[in-house]
Amino acid sequence: MLTTILSAAHSGLETIAIEVEVNVFTKGFPGITIIGLPNKAIEEAKERVKTAITNSGFEFPQSKIIINLAPADIPKEGSCYDLPIAVGILHAMGVVQLPKEKSFFYGELSLDGSLRHTKGVLLLALSAKQHSVKELYVPLPSSQEGAVVSNVSVFPVASLHELVLHLNGSKKIAKALIKPGNTESERLVAEFDFNEIIGQNHAKRALTIAAAGGHNLFMQGPPGSGKTMLARAVAGILPPLSPEESLEVTKIYSVTGNIPPGGSLIWARPFRISHHTTSRIGLIGGGSKPHPGEISLAHCGVLFLDEFPEFARSTLESLRQPMEDGEVTVTRAAGTLKFPADFMLIAAANPCPCGYLGDPKRECTCSPRMIMKYQSKLSGPLMDRIDLHVSVPVVEADKLIEHKDVETVSSAKIRERIIKAREVQYKRLSKSGIYMNGSMKNKHISDFVQLTTKASQLLKQAVNAYNLSTRTYFRLIKVSQTIADLEAADAVTETHVAEALQYRVRVE
C-alpha cells in the first residue's frame, strides 16, 4: 500500500515541501530502503522509526518497505523525517488514519516513541501558511515556535502513541497556544553597567550613539583601558526587537537550532562575541552545506570582535560586503543562498602589538616594521565602513582611586533614551523595510533626512577639508541623524554634524 505524507526541507531560510512516499509491500524480503538523496541522519531513521513503533505498542511490519523523499533531486538532511516516515508506515498498515486537512508532519523520534526538540519549526509554520497547509504535527518542545504563526493549527505531539490516538479520534491533542512574552524578562543581562565604568565618557557617548542608530564602532587604546568592558556593557543598553525584527532573528535561530526547547520568539537583540581564531566560514557563513555564520546570528544586534587586527586578513575583508549590503551571499555549485546580516559591529584593538604606542607613561617596544604590519591588517575600505572611531586612553590614577566620575548614568537610563530614539526611527523608516538609521541607503537619506542650511554647509566644508569619500559623507549624515534623534530634534543641525565629525577621524 502506498501512502504519502507531507514534510519539509530547509535550504538556507527557505522551506521546500517534501512528499514522504511510503510503500509497504505484501511480498518481498523484509527491510527498509530510503531513497531521494537522504544523508546519514535520515539513513539511521530506519532503526529509530522501527524501535519507536515497537516501543509505542504497535507491531512493525515484517515486509519490504520503500520510502521515497520527493522531489528526489533535492538533498535531504536531518532527523525531522522520523515522524512522517513512522506515520506513513502506520497508515499503510491500517493502524492510523490521516487528517482530513492538508498537514505537515515533522520531528525526530526517540527510541521510546517520544518526540525530541527539532530545529526549523518556525520556518515550517511560515511555509505552511504560504502553501495553505492547515495543520502541523511537531514535537511538543518545539511547538511554541510554530504557534506564533496565525491561521495555522499547531499540534504539540509528545509521543507517537499520543499522535495515533489523536488521529484516530480517541484522544485529541489540544492546539498549541503562544505564551505571552515578557520583553523585559527577555532582555540580555549585561556583564557590566555603564555606571560601573570609570571615566571614558567620550567612549560611552559614542557607544550610546552607535546603539541608538545601529552604527559600526571602532575603539582603539592600550591594554587595560576598558575597551572590552565598554563593549560588553552595550548589551545592557540595547532596545528590544520590533515585531518584524523579532521574526527575522527567530527564523535564523530556529534553522540553526539555537532556540531552546519551549522557546518562542526572540525579543532581546543578539550580542555575539567571536574569538580572533574564528574562521572565515564561521564568521561569514557557508560551508559545503551552507549555514549562517556569526554575522547572521548577530542580525539586528551586535557583533563584538575583540583584538580586531588579530583576525586573519581574509576574514576581515570578507566583512566588507555584508557591512554594506546588510546580507551575505553564499554561492556554491548547487546554488546561491542569502542570509540576512544587518548587524552593528563593535571592534576593539590595540594601537600596536605591545599596545603602548603613543602612551605617555609606558614606552612602546615595537619596531616601525612591526607597527606597520600590525596596522596594515585593517584596510582602508574596511575602516571606511565603520561610522565611529574612538580613542580609549588609560584612566587617570586620581579618577581611578577617588572613584568619582562625571558621568554616572546607569545603563537603564541610557537604554530608555535609546528606545525613544529607535521609536522615532521606526516610525520614520519602517515603511521602507528598515528600522534604524545605520541601515539607511543613500536613497533613504535623501527621502528622510532633513538638514538645516548651516548643517549642509558644515558637511561641505568637512568634505573639502578632510578629503572625505562619498561613503564617509553619507555615513556622517546617518550618525548626525541619530544624534538628532537622541535629542528629539526635528532636523539635523550643525551641532549634530559637528559631533558626528569628531568620530570620523580615524584613530592613529
Side-chain angles (χ1 to χ4, degrees):
M1 179 179 176
L2 176 64
T3 299
T4 300
I5 308 294
L6 281 180
S7 192
H10 303 301
S11 178
L13 297 184
E14 299 296 325
T15 301
I16 304 167
I18 300 295
E19 292 184 353
V20 180
E21 299 175 330
V22 180
N23 199 102
V24 179
F25 293 87
T26 56
K27 299 180 180 180
F29 190 78
I32 305 175
T33 301
I34 302 178
I35 58 177
L37 292 183
N39 72 344
K40 181 66 174 176
I42 299 175
E43 286 288 345
E44 293 175 347
K46 300 174 186 177
E47 301 304 323
R48 285 197 301 272
V49 170
K50 181 179 179 180
T51 308
I53 288 176
T54 302
N55 288 336
S56 296
F58 307 108
E59 184 178 349
F60 193 83
Q62 298 301 312
S63 308
K64 181 180 180 180
I65 302 173
I66 301 292
I67 299 167
N68 180 42
L69 307 177
D73 60 339
I74 297 175
K76 321 297 188 309
E77 61 179 21
S79 56
C80 60
Y81 301 103
D82 290 4
L83 184 61
I85 289 173
V87 171
I89 292 173
L90 291 173
H91 180 256
M93 294 167 55
V95 173
V96 68
Q97 301 176 12
L98 295 182
K100 296 179 181 179
E101 296 285 353
K102 191 177 180 182
S103 305
F104 273 142
F105 290 83
Y106 186 92
E108 176 186 342
L109 284 169
S110 295
L111 296 184
D112 62 356
S114 62
L115 271 79
R116 294 180 179 274
H117 177 55
T118 308
K119 66 182 181 181
V121 170
L122 175 61
L123 275 74
L124 177 72
L126 293 170
S127 177
K129 185 176 182 179
Q130 181 181 354
H131 291 91
S132 300
V133 175
K134 298 297 183 182
E135 296 179 353
L136 299 183
Y137 293 88
V138 299
L140 173 61
S142 311
S143 59
Q144 282 297 301
E145 290 183 39
V148 302
V149 181
S150 59
N151 300 323
V152 176
S153 297
V154 178
F155 292 94
V157 182
S159 67
L160 185 59
H161 185 268
E162 181 185 76
L163 177 60
V164 171
L165 294 177
H166 170 83
L167 294 176
N168 289 338
S170 301
K171 186 178 179 181
K172 290 294 183 180
I173 300 173
K175 298 177 184 178
L177 299 176
I178 184 64
K179 297 176 182 177
N182 187 333
T183 302
E184 285 300 314
S185 66
E186 296 187 38
R187 281 180 53 190
L188 283 174
V189 178
E191 192 173 349
F192 303 102
D193 194 289
F194 265 59
N195 60 15
E196 298 175 16
I197 302 173
I198 303 171
Q200 309 300 5
N201 296 321
H202 184 62
K204 291 178 186 177
R205 172 63 175 173
L207 286 166
T208 300
I209 296 169
H215 303 288
N216 302 320
L217 181 141
F218 174 71
M219 293 184 288
Q220 183 172 286
S225 58
K227 302 185 297 296
T228 302
M229 189 177 184
L230 283 161
R232 290 178 181 270
V234 169
I237 65 173
L238 294 175
L241 293 164
S242 68
E244 295 86 353
E245 290 174 320
S246 175
L247 187 60
E248 290 177 14
V249 172
T250 308
K251 284 171 63 177
I252 299 169
Y253 278 67
S254 175
V255 78
T256 54
N258 282 301
I259 297 181
S264 183
L265 286 176
I266 295 172
W267 292 103
R269 291 188 182 274
F271 187 89
R272 307 289 298 189
I273 303 175
S274 292
H275 193 262
H276 65 264
T277 57
T278 303
S279 67
R280 186 183 63 82
I281 290 177
L283 190 66
I284 304 300
S288 57
K289 296 175 182 177
H291 57 82
E294 284 295 318
I295 63 173
S296 294
L297 292 171
H299 180 61
C300 294
V302 174
L303 175 65
F304 175 43
L305 302 182
D306 204 357
E307 306 297 343
F308 201 39
E310 298 296 338
F311 283 79
R313 176 72 182 260
S314 60
T315 301
L316 292 180
E317 292 305 304
S318 63
L319 288 170
R320 286 161 55 178
Q321 179 261 330
M323 288 172 67
E324 196 73 20
D325 299 339
E327 64 180 14
V328 61
T329 303
V330 179
T331 303
R332 295 291 180 269
T336 300
L337 296 176
K338 289 186 177 181
F339 298 111
D342 192 1
F343 61 97
M344 168 185 159
L345 173 67
I346 297 180
N350 296 325
C352 66
C354 79
Y356 297 106
L357 178 65
D359 191 292
K361 296 182 179 180
R362 299 192 64 171
E363 183 179 356
C364 175
T365 59
C366 304
S367 66
R369 181 183 178 86
M370 292 170 59
I371 296 171
M372 183 178 297
K373 182 180 179 180
Y374 184 79
Q375 295 183 345
S376 66
K377 292 183 179 181
L378 306 179
S379 68
L382 174 63
M383 298 303 288
D384 200 35
R385 287 168 166 80
I386 299 180
D387 306 328
L388 298 97
H389 300 252
V390 183
S391 177
V392 185
V394 174
V395 180
E396 296 176 4
D398 292 342
K399 187 176 290 187
L400 194 63
I401 295 170
E402 293 176 7
H403 219 276
K404 293 181 179 179
D405 192 8
V406 177
E407 177 68 64
T408 58
V409 180
S410 67
S411 292
K413 292 292 184 181
I414 296 173
R415 186 171 183 267
E416 289 176 5
R417 293 178 57 207
I418 290 174
I419 289 175
K420 290 179 181 178
R422 283 287 184 105
E423 288 173 350
V424 171
Q425 295 169 53
Y426 181 82
K427 184 177 180 180
R428 183 171 60 235
L429 302 170
S430 59
K431 291 183 179 180
S432 299
I434 57 177
Y435 315 109
M436 52 190 176
N437 293 332
S439 303
M440 287 195 295
K441 307 298 182 185
N442 296 353
K443 62 179 180 180
H444 299 133
I445 291 175
S446 60
D447 292 340
F448 299 114
V449 178
Q450 296 183 12
L451 293 166
T452 63
T453 303
K454 289 185 178 180
S456 298
Q457 291 174 350
L458 182 56
L459 275 169
K460 184 177 179 180
Q461 292 171 8
V463 170
N464 294 329
Y466 298 107
N467 195 26
L468 301 179
S469 66
T470 303
R471 180 187 291 115
T472 301
Y473 168 78
F474 284 110
R475 288 185 177 273
L476 266 173
I477 295 177
K478 289 190 281 188
V479 174
S480 301
Q481 180 64 68
T482 299
I483 296 171
D485 291 337
L486 281 169
E487 296 181 1
D490 295 329
V492 176
T493 67
E494 68 274 20
T495 304
H496 304 139
V497 174
E499 183 176 2
L501 275 169
Q502 296 178 35
Y503 306 112
R504 275 310 305 183
V505 179
R506 183 175 173 181
V507 180
E508 299 295 346

